[in-house]
Amino acid sequence: MNNSFRNEIENLYQKLIAAWNNRDAQAMADLFAEQGVQIGFDGSKVIGQKEILSHLEPIFKNHPTAPFITKVKDIRLLGTDVAILHAIAGMIPPGKTDIEPKLNALQTLVAVKTNDDCRVELFQNTPAQFHGRPELVEVMTDELQQLLR
């Protein structure tokens, strides 16, 4: 994969995570394509920058959202201007110092580059509970917890 494009995709993802961690709905929405899709941890699906913004603003205003701790696991080129990024994520609830395993997630970002500008076409945050396999939750939590040291 073109390392420059890979870096652009990773930077786009890091900006998205920083916007969440800074509780900045506008900054998050601005990273999406015109018809970009965000699928949240609870399954909420919102489409387009305006809808994403109106969905996130009350969340950040009314809830003490936890910051993400993330690790990019893979970035693959799907065409000359499309890539998919896979990451794992954990969250440290307000007032805590460790990752809460119940909030672990798998994150998928699909990005498209148009006119030298990368935008999010899809960001999906899926709970990673690995039902019946608690050892996988533990391994993921440990991997993310190492990032805090």
Side-chain angles (χ1 to χ4, degrees):
M1 170 190 270
N2 176 325
N3 279 338
S4 174
F5 188 39
R6 183 185 193 289
N7 290 341
E8 286 181 71
I9 301 308
E10 187 157 2
N11 288 338
L12 178 64
Y13 172 72
Q14 296 303 337
K15 286 179 186 176
L16 189 71
I17 296 304
W20 172 271
N21 289 351
N22 291 325
R23 303 165 50 81
D24 188 338
Q26 186 68 61
M28 259 187 100
D30 287 348
L31 296 171
F32 282 81
E34 186 176 329
Q35 291 298 308
V37 176
Q38 177 180 303
I39 301 175
F41 195 78
D42 67 349
S44 299
K45 179 180 177 182
V46 287
I47 301 170
Q49 291 180 343
K50 288 179 184 176
E51 196 173 314
I52 290 167
L53 178 62
S54 66
H55 176 75
L56 291 173
E57 282 182 324
I59 291 172
F60 291 146
K61 182 180 178 186
N62 300 318
H63 303 285
T65 54
F68 282 121
I69 305 301
T70 63
K71 183 175 184 181
V72 173
K73 300 296 276 184
D74 185 43
I75 301 174
R76 286 188 296 123
L77 190 65
L78 300 178
T80 57
D81 56 0
V82 180
I84 187 168
L85 175 148
H86 296 280
I88 58 173
M91 299 180 109
I92 302 172
K96 304 285 183 175
T97 57
D98 289 327
I99 290 170
E100 171 53 59
K102 292 177 186 172
L103 300 176
N104 286 355
L106 299 171
Q107 295 182 332
T108 303
L109 180 138
V110 176
V112 175
K113 185 173 183 173
T114 308
N115 300 326
D116 294 327
D117 186 35
C118 284
R119 295 285 176 174
V120 177
E121 283 291 342
L122 169 71
F123 178 64
Q124 183 162 350
N125 195 44
T126 304
Q129 294 305 298
F130 305 110
H131 299 293
R133 298 169 289 160
E135 70 281 359
L136 295 179
V137 174
E138 187 176 321
V139 167
M140 185 180 197
T141 302
D142 289 346
E143 184 174 357
L144 291 164
Q145 195 70 38
Q146 291 295 319
L147 300 172
L148 300 175
R149 296 188 176 114

